[in-house]
Amino acid sequence: MLPLFIIRNKLLAEPAKLGRWGERYCERYLRRMGLECIARNFSINTGEIDLVMADGDVLVFVEVKTRASENFAKAQEAVNHTKRMRMISATKYFIGKYKLRDKPVRFDVVAVVLPERGSPEIRHYKNAFGMV
């Protein structure tokens, strides 16, 4: 990955690239915290999961929200009721498809903020919500 000072302006100008960068940044952070990546961008027609990680024997379904600023709202606030229900739907499909029903499940939200200057900020909300 190129150094941040080289790509920052391009990321800030292109939201899709910023989002992909945030997911990769988040994945590296979670790996440093000892989690193992199981899947990226798992998608079905009713929902999507940015990252599926393993924290020991716990399956962790992660929603990553990347922002250039939080002037209007905190990044994690974008994970509203509808988004949570879509993640839960995709999670149920994932654990059924891969026969993982016996595994404990956790939902995390990770906010990544890339300001115009300075280092990226990352906030990890473990167990942000539960299965319905």
Side-chain angles (χ1 to χ4, degrees):
M1 190 184 270
L2 290 171
L4 189 55
F5 71 90
I6 293 175
I7 61 170
R8 181 186 307 267
N9 288 338
K10 189 168 195 135
L11 291 173
L12 294 174
E14 299 182 44
K17 286 186 180 183
L18 179 63
R20 286 190 302 274
W21 174 86
E23 288 175 8
R24 289 191 308 272
Y25 189 82
C26 172
E27 181 183 341
R28 283 195 313 276
Y29 163 81
L30 293 172
R31 285 177 186 261
R32 285 193 308 270
M33 297 295 111
L35 283 73
E36 178 185 351
C37 186
I38 305 298
R40 293 175 196 87
N41 299 309
F42 180 79
S43 179
I44 61 172
N45 61 353
T46 59
E48 185 247 348
I49 301 163
D50 294 329
L51 296 168
V52 181
M53 308 290 287
D55 188 1
D57 67 338
V58 177
L59 289 174
V60 183
F61 295 87
V62 183
E63 175 65 16
V64 182
K65 288 297 177 190
T66 308
R67 298 287 185 268
S69 93
E70 293 183 305
N71 292 338
F72 300 106
K74 297 288 186 190
Q76 67 274 12
E77 292 172 6
V79 185
N80 58 25
H81 177 75
T82 301
K83 179 62 183 173
R84 290 190 302 268
M85 293 300 104
R86 289 180 179 185
M87 278 186 72
I88 289 168
S89 175
T91 296
K92 288 178 179 178
Y93 183 86
F94 185 92
I95 61 178
K97 178 177 181 176
Y98 295 105
K99 298 173 180 49
L100 299 168
R101 288 186 179 89
D102 60 328
K103 297 280 187 189
V105 170
R106 184 176 90 208
F107 292 95
D108 291 4
V109 174
V110 177
V112 179
V113 181
L114 178 63
E116 288 184 32
R117 291 178 201 66
S119 298
E121 178 185 342
I122 193 160
R123 292 188 309 275
H124 183 185
Y125 300 92
K126 287 184 179 179
N127 237 353
F129 59 93
M131 187 84 84
V132 175

